[in-house]
Amino acid sequence: MRRALPWLVAALGGVLAVAGVAVFASANSSGVGWAGYMSEAPLEPITEAYQSDLILFSDGAVLWTRQHALGAVLVVLGLLVLAGFGGWLLGRRRARGSTLG
């Protein structure tokens, strides 16, 4: 069990990261809520004297929902767990090969 625990933690990090990507991708394709409303009924163009636009993608604005935020949090948590596992693995290998003194 002692040898399997770090690998189980690494697997958990991978699952969290993949689940976060899946949740984020499903939020983009759901078409529910404000993002779905925006895609069905575009706004009228603004013809005022002072207009400023920030276009991140050519097909429209980027709108984040709670599902987007949940997906992003899951990805970050999964990557943090994987980074911790990688650091533990590197530290373990260096401790075996190092000679102090």
Coordinates of all heavy atoms in Angstrom, one line a residue:
M1 N 0.8 -1.2 0.0 CA 0.0 0.0 0.0 C 0.9 1.3 0.0 O 0.5 2.3 -0.6 CB -0.9 0.0 1.2 CG -1.8 1.1 1.3 SD -3.0 1.1 0.0 CE -3.9 2.6 0.4
R2 N 2.0 1.2 0.7 CA 2.9 2.4 0.8 C 3.4 2.7 -0.5 O 3.6 3.9 -0.8 CB 4.0 2.1 1.8 CG 4.8 3.3 2.1 CD 5.7 2.9 3.2 NE 6.5 4.1 3.5 CZ 7.5 4.2 4.4 NH1 7.8 3.1 5.1 NH2 8.2 5.2 4.6
R3 N 3.7 1.8 -1.4 CA 4.3 2.1 -2.7 C 3.2 2.5 -3.7 O 3.5 3.2 -4.6 CB 5.0 0.8 -3.3 CG 6.3 0.5 -2.5 CD 7.0 -0.6 -3.1 NE 8.2 -0.9 -2.3 CZ 9.1 -1.7 -2.7 NH1 9.1 -2.2 -4.0 NH2 10.2 -1.9 -2.0
A4 N 2.0 2.0 -3.5 CA 0.9 2.3 -4.4 C 0.3 3.7 -4.2 O -0.3 4.3 -5.1 CB -0.2 1.2 -4.3
L5 N 0.4 4.2 -2.9 CA -0.3 5.5 -2.6 C 0.2 6.6 -3.5 O -0.7 7.4 -4.0 CB 0.0 5.8 -1.1 CG -0.8 7.0 -0.6 CD1 -2.3 6.8 -0.7 CD2 -0.4 7.3 0.9
P6 N 1.5 6.9 -3.7 CA 1.9 8.0 -4.6 C 1.3 7.9 -6.0 O 0.9 8.8 -6.6 CB 3.4 8.0 -4.6 CG 3.8 7.2 -3.4 CD 2.7 6.2 -3.1
W7 N 1.3 6.6 -6.5 CA 0.7 6.4 -7.9 C -0.8 6.6 -7.9 O -1.3 7.1 -8.9 CB 1.1 5.1 -8.4 CG 2.6 5.0 -8.5 CD1 3.5 4.4 -7.7 CD2 3.4 5.6 -9.6 NE1 4.8 4.5 -8.1 CE2 4.7 5.3 -9.3 CE3 3.1 6.3 -10.7 CZ2 5.8 5.7 -10.1 CZ3 4.1 6.8 -11.5 CH2 5.5 6.5 -11.2
L8 N -1.5 6.3 -6.8 CA -2.9 6.6 -6.7 C -3.2 8.1 -6.7 O -4.1 8.6 -7.3 CB -3.5 5.9 -5.5 CG -3.6 4.4 -5.6 CD1 -4.1 3.9 -4.2 CD2 -4.5 4.0 -6.7
V9 N -2.3 8.8 -6.0 CA -2.4 10.3 -5.9 C -2.2 10.9 -7.3 O -2.9 11.8 -7.8 CB -1.5 10.9 -4.9 CG1 -1.4 12.4 -5.0 CG2 -1.9 10.5 -3.5
A10 N -1.2 10.4 -8.0 CA -0.9 10.8 -9.4 C -2.1 10.5 -10.3 O -2.5 11.4 -11.2 CB 0.4 10.2 -9.9
A11 N -2.7 9.3 -10.2 CA -3.9 9.0 -11.0 C -5.0 9.9 -10.7 O -5.8 10.4 -11.6 CB -4.3 7.5 -10.7
L12 N -5.2 10.3 -9.4 CA -6.2 11.2 -9.0 C -6.0 12.6 -9.6 O -7.0 13.2 -10.1 CB -6.3 11.4 -7.5 CG -7.2 12.4 -6.9 CD1 -8.7 12.0 -7.2 CD2 -7.0 12.7 -5.5
G13 N -4.8 13.0 -9.7 CA -4.5 14.3 -10.3 C -4.8 14.3 -11.8 O -5.3 15.2 -12.4
G14 N -4.5 13.2 -12.5 CA -4.8 13.0 -13.9 C -6.3 13.0 -14.1 O -6.8 13.6 -15.1
V15 N -7.0 12.3 -13.3 CA -8.5 12.2 -13.4 C -9.1 13.6 -13.2 O -10.0 14.0 -13.9 CB -9.0 11.2 -12.4 CG1 -10.5 11.3 -12.3 CG2 -8.7 9.8 -12.9
L16 N -8.6 14.4 -12.2 CA -9.1 15.7 -12.0 C -8.8 16.6 -13.2 O -9.7 17.4 -13.6 CB -8.4 16.3 -10.8 CG -9.0 15.9 -9.4 CD1 -8.1 16.5 -8.3 CD2 -10.4 16.3 -9.2
A17 N -7.7 16.5 -13.8 CA -7.3 17.4 -14.9 C -8.2 17.0 -16.1 O -8.7 17.9 -16.8 CB -5.9 17.3 -15.3
V18 N -8.4 15.7 -16.4 CA -9.2 15.3 -17.5 C -10.7 15.7 -17.3 O -11.3 16.1 -18.2 CB -9.0 13.8 -17.8 CG1 -10.0 13.3 -18.8 CG2 -7.6 13.5 -18.3
A19 N -11.1 15.5 -16.1 CA -12.5 15.8 -15.8 C -12.7 17.3 -15.9 O -13.8 17.8 -16.4 CB -12.9 15.4 -14.3
G20 N -11.8 18.1 -15.5 CA -11.9 19.6 -15.7 C -12.0 20.0 -17.1 O -12.8 20.9 -17.5
V21 N -11.2 19.4 -18.0 CA -11.2 19.7 -19.4 C -12.6 19.3 -20.0 O -13.2 20.0 -20.8 CB -10.1 19.0 -20.2 CG1 -10.2 19.0 -21.7 CG2 -8.7 19.6 -19.8
A22 N -13.1 18.1 -19.6 CA -14.4 17.6 -20.0 C -15.5 18.6 -19.6 O -16.4 18.9 -20.4 CB -14.6 16.2 -19.5
V23 N -15.5 19.0 -18.4 CA -16.5 19.9 -17.9 C -16.4 21.3 -18.6 O -17.5 21.8 -19.0 CB -16.4 20.2 -16.3 CG1 -17.2 21.3 -15.8 CG2 -16.7 18.9 -15.6
F24 N -15.2 21.8 -18.8 CA -15.1 23.0 -19.5 C -15.6 22.9 -21.0 O -16.3 23.8 -21.5 CB -13.6 23.5 -19.5 CG -13.4 24.9 -19.9 CD1 -13.4 25.9 -19.0 CD2 -13.1 25.2 -21.2 CE1 -13.2 27.2 -19.3 CE2 -12.9 26.5 -21.6 CZ -13.0 27.5 -20.7
A25 N -15.2 21.8 -21.6 CA -15.7 21.6 -23.0 C -17.2 21.4 -23.1 O -17.8 21.9 -24.1 CB -15.0 20.4 -23.6
S26 N -17.8 20.8 -22.1 CA -19.2 20.6 -22.2 C -19.9 21.9 -21.9 O -21.0 22.2 -22.4 CB -19.7 19.5 -21.2 OG -19.5 20.0 -19.9
A27 N -19.3 22.8 -21.2 CA -19.9 24.1 -20.9 C -19.9 24.9 -22.2 O -20.8 25.8 -22.5 CB -19.1 24.9 -19.9
N28 N -18.9 24.7 -23.1 CA -18.9 25.5 -24.4 C -20.0 25.0 -25.3 O -20.5 25.7 -26.2 CB -17.5 25.3 -25.0 CG -16.5 26.2 -24.4 OD1 -16.9 27.2 -23.8 ND2 -15.3 25.9 -24.5
S29 N -20.3 23.7 -25.3 CA -21.3 23.2 -26.2 C -22.7 23.1 -25.7 O -23.6 22.6 -26.4 CB -20.8 21.8 -26.7 OG -20.8 20.9 -25.5
S30 N -23.0 23.5 -24.5 CA -24.3 23.3 -23.9 C -25.3 24.3 -24.5 O -26.4 23.9 -24.7 CB -24.3 23.4 -22.4 OG -23.9 24.8 -22.0
G31 N -24.9 25.5 -24.7 CA -25.8 26.5 -25.3 C -27.0 26.8 -24.4 O -28.1 27.2 -24.8
V32 N -26.7 26.7 -23.1 CA -27.7 27.0 -22.0 C -27.3 28.3 -21.3 O -26.2 28.6 -21.1 CB -27.9 25.8 -21.0 CG1 -28.9 26.2 -20.0 CG2 -28.2 24.6 -21.8
G33 N -28.3 29.0 -20.9 CA -28.0 30.2 -20.1 C -27.7 31.4 -21.0 O -28.2 31.5 -22.1
W34 N -26.9 32.4 -20.4 CA -26.7 33.6 -21.1 C -25.9 33.4 -22.4 O -26.1 34.1 -23.4 CB -25.9 34.5 -20.1 CG -25.5 35.8 -20.7 CD1 -24.3 36.3 -21.1 CD2 -26.4 36.9 -21.0 NE1 -24.4 37.5 -21.6 CE2 -25.7 38.0 -21.6 CE3 -27.8 37.1 -20.8 CZ2 -26.2 39.2 -21.9 CZ3 -28.4 38.3 -21.2 CH2 -27.6 39.3 -21.8
A35 N -25.0 32.4 -22.4 CA -24.2 32.2 -23.6 C -25.1 31.6 -24.7 O -24.9 32.0 -25.9 CB -23.1 31.2 -23.3
G36 N -26.1 30.8 -24.4 CA -27.0 30.3 -25.4 C -27.9 31.4 -25.9 O -28.2 31.5 -27.1
Y37 N -28.3 32.3 -25.0 CA -29.1 33.5 -25.5 C -28.3 34.4 -26.4 O -28.8 34.8 -27.4 CB -29.6 34.3 -24.2 CG -30.3 35.5 -24.6 CD1 -31.6 35.5 -25.0 CD2 -29.6 36.8 -24.5 CE1 -32.2 36.7 -25.4 CE2 -30.3 37.9 -24.8 CZ -31.6 37.9 -25.3 OH -32.2 39.0 -25.6
M38 N -27.1 34.6 -26.1 CA -26.2 35.5 -26.9 C -26.0 34.8 -28.3 O -26.0 35.5 -29.3 CB -24.9 35.7 -26.3 CG -24.9 36.6 -25.1 SD -25.4 38.3 -25.4 CE -24.0 38.8 -26.4
S39 N -25.9 33.5 -28.4 CA -25.6 32.9 -29.7 C -26.9 32.9 -30.6 O -26.8 32.9 -31.8 CB -25.1 31.5 -29.5 OG -26.1 30.7 -28.9
E40 N -28.1 32.9 -30.0 CA -29.3 32.9 -30.7 C -29.8 34.3 -31.2 O -30.3 34.4 -32.2 CB -30.4 32.2 -29.9 CG -30.1 30.7 -29.7 CD -31.1 30.1 -28.8 OE1 -32.2 30.8 -28.5 OE2 -30.9 29.0 -28.4
A41 N -29.5 35.3 -30.3 CA -30.0 36.6 -30.6 C -28.9 37.6 -30.5 O -28.6 38.1 -29.4 CB -31.2 37.0 -29.7
P42 N -28.2 37.9 -31.6 CA -27.1 38.8 -31.5 C -27.6 40.3 -31.2 O -28.7 40.6 -31.5 CB -26.4 38.8 -32.9 CG -27.5 38.2 -33.8 CD -28.4 37.4 -32.9
L43 N -26.7 41.0 -30.5 CA -27.1 42.4 -30.2 C -26.9 43.3 -31.4 O -26.2 43.0 -32.4 CB -26.1 42.9 -29.1 CG -26.2 42.1 -27.8 CD1 -25.1 42.7 -26.8 CD2 -27.6 42.3 -27.1
E44 N -27.6 44.4 -31.4 CA -27.6 45.4 -32.4 C -26.2 46.1 -32.4 O -25.7 46.3 -31.3 CB -28.7 46.4 -32.3 CG -30.1 45.8 -32.4 CD -30.3 45.3 -33.8 OE1 -29.9 46.0 -34.8 OE2 -31.0 44.3 -34.0
P45 N -25.7 46.4 -33.5 CA -24.4 47.1 -33.5 C -24.5 48.5 -32.9 O -25.5 49.2 -33.0 CB -24.0 47.2 -35.0 CG -25.3 47.0 -35.7 CD -26.2 46.2 -34.9
I46 N -23.4 48.9 -32.2 CA -23.4 50.2 -31.5 C -22.9 51.2 -32.5 O -21.9 51.0 -33.2 CB -22.5 50.2 -30.3 CG1 -23.1 49.1 -29.3 CG2 -22.4 51.5 -29.7 CD1 -22.1 48.9 -28.1
T47 N -23.6 52.3 -32.7 CA -23.2 53.4 -33.6 C -22.9 54.7 -32.9 O -23.1 55.7 -33.5 CB -24.3 53.6 -34.7 OG1 -25.5 53.9 -34.0 CG2 -24.6 52.3 -35.5
E48 N -22.5 54.6 -31.7 CA -22.2 55.8 -31.0 C -20.8 56.3 -31.4 O -20.0 55.7 -32.0 CB -22.2 55.5 -29.5 CG -23.6 55.1 -29.0 CD -23.6 54.8 -27.5 OE1 -22.5 54.9 -26.8 OE2 -24.6 54.3 -27.0
A49 N -20.5 57.6 -31.0 CA -19.2 58.2 -31.3 C -18.0 57.5 -30.7 O -17.0 57.4 -31.3 CB -19.3 59.7 -30.9
Y50 N -18.2 57.0 -29.5 CA -17.1 56.4 -28.8 C -17.4 54.9 -28.6 O -18.2 54.5 -27.8 CB -16.8 57.0 -27.4 CG -16.5 58.5 -27.5 CD1 -17.5 59.5 -27.2 CD2 -15.3 58.9 -27.9 CE1 -17.2 60.8 -27.3 CE2 -15.0 60.3 -28.1 CZ -15.9 61.2 -27.8 OH -15.6 62.5 -27.9
Q51 N -16.7 54.1 -29.3 CA -16.9 52.7 -29.3 C -15.6 51.9 -29.2 O -14.6 52.3 -29.8 CB -17.6 52.2 -30.6 CG -17.9 50.7 -30.6 CD -18.6 50.3 -31.9 OE1 -19.0 51.2 -32.7 NE2 -18.7 49.1 -32.2
S52 N -15.5 51.0 -28.3 CA -14.3 50.2 -28.1 C -14.7 48.7 -28.1 O -15.6 48.3 -27.4 CB -13.6 50.6 -26.8 OG -12.5 49.8 -26.5
D53 N -14.0 47.9 -28.8 CA -14.2 46.5 -28.8 C -13.0 45.7 -28.5 O -11.9 46.0 -29.0 CB -14.7 46.0 -30.2 CG -16.1 46.6 -30.5 OD1 -16.9 46.7 -29.6 OD2 -16.4 46.8 -31.7
L54 N -13.1 44.6 -27.8 CA -12.1 43.6 -27.5 C -12.5 42.3 -28.1 O -13.5 41.7 -27.5 CB -11.7 43.5 -26.1 CG -10.7 42.4 -25.7 CD1 -9.4 42.7 -26.3 CD2 -10.6 42.3 -24.2
I55 N -12.0 41.9 -29.2 CA -12.4 40.6 -29.8 C -11.3 39.6 -29.5 O -10.2 39.7 -30.0 CB -12.6 40.8 -31.3 CG1 -13.7 41.8 -31.5 CG2 -13.0 39.5 -31.9 CD1 -13.9 42.2 -33.0
L56 N -11.7 38.6 -28.7 CA -10.7 37.5 -28.4 C -10.8 36.4 -29.4 O -9.8 35.7 -29.7 CB -11.0 36.9 -27.0 CG -10.9 38.0 -25.9 CD1 -11.3 37.3 -24.6 CD2 -9.5 38.5 -25.8
F57 N -12.0 36.1 -30.0 CA -12.1 35.1 -31.0 C -13.0 35.7 -32.1 O -13.8 36.6 -31.9 CB -12.8 33.8 -30.4 CG -12.0 33.2 -29.3 CD1 -12.4 33.3 -28.0 CD2 -11.0 32.4 -29.7 CE1 -11.7 32.7 -27.0 CE2 -10.2 31.8 -28.7 CZ -10.6 31.9 -27.4
S58 N -12.8 35.2 -33.3 CA -13.5 35.8 -34.4 C -15.0 35.5 -34.4 O -15.7 36.2 -35.1 CB -12.9 35.2 -35.7 OG -13.0 33.8 -35.8
D59 N -15.4 34.4 -33.7 CA -16.8 34.1 -33.7 C -17.7 34.7 -32.6 O -18.8 34.4 -32.5 CB -17.0 32.6 -33.7 CG -16.4 31.9 -32.5 OD1 -15.2 32.2 -32.2 OD2 -17.1 31.2 -31.8
G60 N -17.1 35.5 -31.8 CA -17.9 36.2 -30.8 C -17.1 36.4 -29.5 O -15.9 36.2 -29.4
A61 N -17.8 36.8 -28.5 CA -17.2 37.1 -27.2 C -17.1 35.8 -26.3 O -17.7 34.8 -26.6 CB -18.1 38.1 -26.4
V62 N -16.2 35.9 -25.3 CA -16.1 34.8 -24.4 C -16.9 35.1 -23.2 O -16.6 36.1 -22.5 CB -14.6 34.6 -24.1 CG1 -14.4 33.5 -23.1 CG2 -13.8 34.4 -25.3
L63 N -17.8 34.2 -22.9 CA -18.6 34.4 -21.7 C -18.4 33.2 -20.8 O -18.5 32.0 -21.2 CB -20.1 34.4 -22.1 CG -20.5 35.6 -23.0 CD1 -21.9 35.4 -23.4 CD2 -20.3 36.9 -22.2
W64 N -18.0 33.4 -19.5 CA -17.8 32.4 -18.6 C -19.0 32.1 -17.7 O -19.6 33.0 -17.2 CB -16.6 32.8 -17.7 CG -15.3 32.6 -18.4 CD1 -14.9 33.2 -19.5 CD2 -14.2 31.7 -18.0 NE1 -13.6 32.8 -19.8 CE2 -13.2 31.9 -18.9 CE3 -14.0 30.8 -16.9 CZ2 -12.0 31.2 -18.8 CZ3 -12.9 30.1 -16.9 CH2 -11.9 30.3 -17.8
T65 N -19.3 30.9 -17.6 CA -20.4 30.4 -16.7 C -19.8 29.8 -15.5 O -18.6 29.6 -15.3 CB -21.4 29.5 -17.4 OG1 -20.6 28.3 -17.8 CG2 -21.9 30.1 -18.7
R66 N -20.7 29.3 -14.5 CA -20.2 28.6 -13.4 C -19.6 27.3 -13.8 O -18.6 26.8 -13.2 CB -21.3 28.3 -12.4 CG -21.7 29.6 -11.7 CD -22.8 29.3 -10.7 NE -23.2 30.5 -10.1 CZ -24.2 30.6 -9.2 NH1 -24.8 29.6 -8.8 NH2 -24.5 31.8 -8.7
Q67 N -20.1 26.7 -14.9 CA -19.5 25.4 -15.3 C -18.1 25.6 -15.9 O -17.2 24.8 -15.7 CB -20.4 24.8 -16.4 CG -20.2 23.4 -16.7 CD -21.2 22.8 -17.6 OE1 -22.1 23.5 -18.0 NE2 -21.1 21.5 -17.9
H68 N -17.9 26.7 -16.6 CA -16.5 27.1 -17.0 C -15.6 27.2 -15.9 O -14.5 26.7 -15.9 CB -16.5 28.4 -17.8 CG -17.1 28.3 -19.2 ND1 -18.3 28.8 -19.5 CD2 -16.6 27.7 -20.3 CE1 -18.6 28.5 -20.8 NE2 -17.5 27.9 -21.3
A69 N -16.0 27.9 -14.8 CA -15.2 28.1 -13.6 C -14.9 26.8 -12.9 O -13.7 26.6 -12.5 CB -15.8 29.1 -12.7
L70 N -15.9 25.9 -12.8 CA -15.7 24.6 -12.2 C -14.7 23.8 -13.0 O -13.8 23.2 -12.4 CB -17.0 23.9 -12.1 CG -16.9 22.4 -11.5 CD1 -16.4 22.4 -10.1 CD2 -18.2 21.7 -11.7
G71 N -14.8 23.8 -14.3 CA -13.8 23.1 -15.1 C -12.4 23.6 -15.0 O -11.4 22.8 -14.9
A72 N -12.3 24.9 -14.9 CA -10.9 25.5 -14.8 C -10.4 25.2 -13.4 O -9.2 24.9 -13.3 CB -11.0 27.1 -14.9
V73 N -11.2 25.2 -12.4 CA -10.7 24.9 -11.0 C -10.3 23.4 -11.0 O -9.2 23.1 -10.4 CB -11.8 25.2 -10.0 CG1 -11.5 24.5 -8.6 CG2 -12.0 26.7 -9.8
L74 N -11.0 22.5 -11.6 CA -10.6 21.1 -11.6 C -9.3 20.9 -12.3 O -8.5 20.1 -11.9 CB -11.7 20.3 -12.2 CG -13.0 20.1 -11.4 CD1 -14.1 19.3 -12.2 CD2 -12.7 19.3 -10.1
V75 N -9.1 21.6 -13.4 CA -7.9 21.4 -14.2 C -6.7 21.9 -13.3 O -5.7 21.3 -13.2 CB -7.9 22.2 -15.5 CG1 -6.6 22.3 -16.1 CG2 -8.9 21.5 -16.5
V76 N -6.9 23.1 -12.7 CA -5.8 23.6 -11.9 C -5.5 22.7 -10.7 O -4.3 22.4 -10.4 CB -6.1 25.1 -11.4 CG1 -5.2 25.5 -10.3 CG2 -6.1 26.0 -12.5
L77 N -6.5 22.2 -10.0 CA -6.3 21.2 -8.9 C -5.5 20.0 -9.4 O -4.6 19.5 -8.7 CB -7.6 20.9 -8.2 CG -8.2 21.9 -7.3 CD1 -9.5 21.4 -6.8 CD2 -7.3 22.3 -6.2
G78 N -6.0 19.4 -10.5 CA -5.3 18.3 -11.1 C -3.9 18.5 -11.4 O -3.0 17.7 -11.1
L79 N -3.6 19.7 -12.0 CA -2.2 20.0 -12.4 C -1.4 20.2 -11.1 O -0.2 19.9 -11.1 CB -2.2 21.2 -13.3 CG -2.7 21.0 -14.7 CD1 -2.7 22.2 -15.5 CD2 -2.0 19.8 -15.4
L80 N -1.9 20.8 -10.1 CA -1.2 21.0 -8.8 C -0.8 19.6 -8.2 O 0.3 19.4 -7.7 CB -2.0 21.8 -7.8 CG -2.0 23.3 -8.1 CD1 -3.0 24.0 -7.1 CD2 -0.6 23.9 -8.0
V81 N -1.8 18.7 -8.2 CA -1.5 17.4 -7.7 C -0.4 16.7 -8.5 O 0.5 16.1 -7.9 CB -2.8 16.5 -7.6 CG1 -2.5 15.1 -7.3 CG2 -3.8 17.1 -6.6
L82 N -0.5 16.8 -9.8 CA 0.5 16.2 -10.7 C 1.9 16.9 -10.5 O 2.9 16.2 -10.5 CB 0.1 16.3 -12.1 CG -1.0 15.3 -12.5 CD1 -1.5 15.6 -13.9 CD2 -0.6 13.9 -12.3
A83 N 1.9 18.2 -10.3 CA 3.2 18.9 -10.0 C 3.8 18.4 -8.7 O 5.0 18.2 -8.6 CB 3.0 20.4 -10.0
G84 N 2.9 18.3 -7.7 CA 3.4 17.8 -6.4 C 4.0 16.4 -6.5 O 5.0 16.0 -5.9
F85 N 3.3 15.5 -7.2 CA 3.8 14.2 -7.4 C 5.1 14.2 -8.2 O 6.0 13.4 -7.8 CB 2.8 13.3 -8.2 CG 3.3 12.0 -8.6 CD1 3.4 11.0 -7.7 CD2 3.6 11.7 -9.9 CE1 3.9 9.7 -8.0 CE2 4.1 10.5 -10.3 CZ 4.3 9.5 -9.3
G86 N 5.2 15.0 -9.2 CA 6.5 15.1 -9.9 C 7.6 15.6 -9.0 O 8.8 15.1 -9.1
G87 N 7.4 16.6 -8.2 CA 8.4 17.0 -7.2 C 8.8 16.0 -6.3 O 10.0 15.8 -5.9
W88 N 7.8 15.2 -5.8 CA 8.1 14.1 -4.8 C 9.0 13.1 -5.5 O 9.9 12.6 -4.9 CB 6.8 13.5 -4.3 CG 7.0 12.3 -3.5 CD1 7.3 12.2 -2.2 CD2 6.9 10.9 -4.0 NE1 7.5 10.9 -1.8 CE2 7.2 10.1 -2.9 CE3 6.7 10.3 -5.2 CZ2 7.3 8.7 -3.0 CZ3 6.7 9.0 -5.3 CH2 7.0 8.2 -4.2
L89 N 8.6 12.7 -6.8 CA 9.3 11.7 -7.5 C 10.8 12.2 -7.8 O 11.7 11.4 -7.6 CB 8.6 11.4 -8.8 CG 9.0 10.2 -9.6 CD1 8.8 8.9 -8.7 CD2 8.3 10.1 -10.9
L90 N 11.0 13.4 -8.2 CA 12.3 13.9 -8.4 C 13.1 14.0 -7.1 O 14.3 13.6 -7.0 CB 12.3 15.3 -9.0 CG 11.9 15.4 -10.5 CD1 11.8 16.8 -10.9 CD2 13.0 14.7 -11.3
G91 N 12.5 14.4 -6.0 CA 13.2 14.5 -4.7 C 13.6 13.1 -4.2 O 14.6 12.9 -3.6
R92 N 12.7 12.1 -4.5 CA 13.0 10.7 -4.0 C 14.2 10.2 -4.8 O 15.0 9.5 -4.2 CB 11.8 9.9 -4.3 CG 11.9 8.5 -3.8 CD 10.5 7.8 -3.9 NE 10.7 6.4 -3.7 CZ 10.3 5.5 -4.6 NH1 9.7 5.9 -5.7 NH2 10.5 4.2 -4.3
R93 N 14.3 10.4 -6.1 CA 15.4 9.9 -6.9 C 16.7 10.6 -6.5 O 17.7 10.0 -6.5 CB 15.1 10.1 -8.4 CG 14.0 9.2 -8.8 CD 13.8 9.2 -10.3 NE 12.7 8.3 -10.6 CZ 12.3 8.1 -11.9 NH1 12.9 8.7 -12.9 NH2 11.3 7.2 -12.1
R94 N 16.7 11.9 -6.3 CA 17.9 12.6 -5.9 C 18.4 12.2 -4.5 O 19.6 12.1 -4.3 CB 17.7 14.1 -5.9 CG 17.6 14.7 -7.3 CD 18.0 16.1 -7.3 NE 17.9 16.6 -8.7 CZ 17.4 17.7 -9.0 NH1 16.9 18.5 -8.1 NH2 17.4 18.1 -10.3
A95 N 17.5 11.9 -3.6 CA 17.9 11.5 -2.3 C 18.6 10.1 -2.3 O 19.5 9.9 -1.5 CB 16.7 11.4 -1.4
R96 N 18.2 9.3 -3.2 CA 18.9 8.0 -3.3 C 20.3 8.1 -3.9 O 21.2 7.4 -3.4 CB 18.1 7.0 -4.3 CG 16.9 6.5 -3.7 CD 16.3 5.5 -4.7 NE 15.0 5.0 -4.1 CZ 14.3 4.2 -4.8 NH1 14.6 3.8 -6.0 NH2 13.2 3.7 -4.2
G97 N 20.5 9.0 -4.8 CA 21.8 9.1 -5.5 C 22.8 10.1 -4.9 O 24.0 10.2 -5.2
S98 N 22.3 10.9 -3.9 CA 23.2 11.9 -3.4 C 24.0 11.4 -2.2 O 23.6 10.5 -1.5 CB 22.3 13.1 -2.9 OG 21.6 12.8 -1.8
T99 N 25.2 12.0 -2.1 CA 26.0 11.7 -0.9 C 26.3 12.9 -0.2 O 26.9 13.9 -0.8 CB 27.3 11.0 -1.4 OG1 28.0 11.8 -2.3 CG2 27.1 9.6 -2.1
L100 N 26.0 13.0 1.0 CA 26.2 14.2 1.8 C 27.5 14.0 2.5 O 27.8 13.0 3.2 CB 25.1 14.5 2.8 CG 23.7 14.7 2.1 CD1 22.7 14.9 3.2 CD2 23.8 16.0 1.3
G101 N 28.4 15.0 2.5 CA 29.6 15.0 3.3 C 30.8 15.1 2.6 O 31.6 15.1 2.0

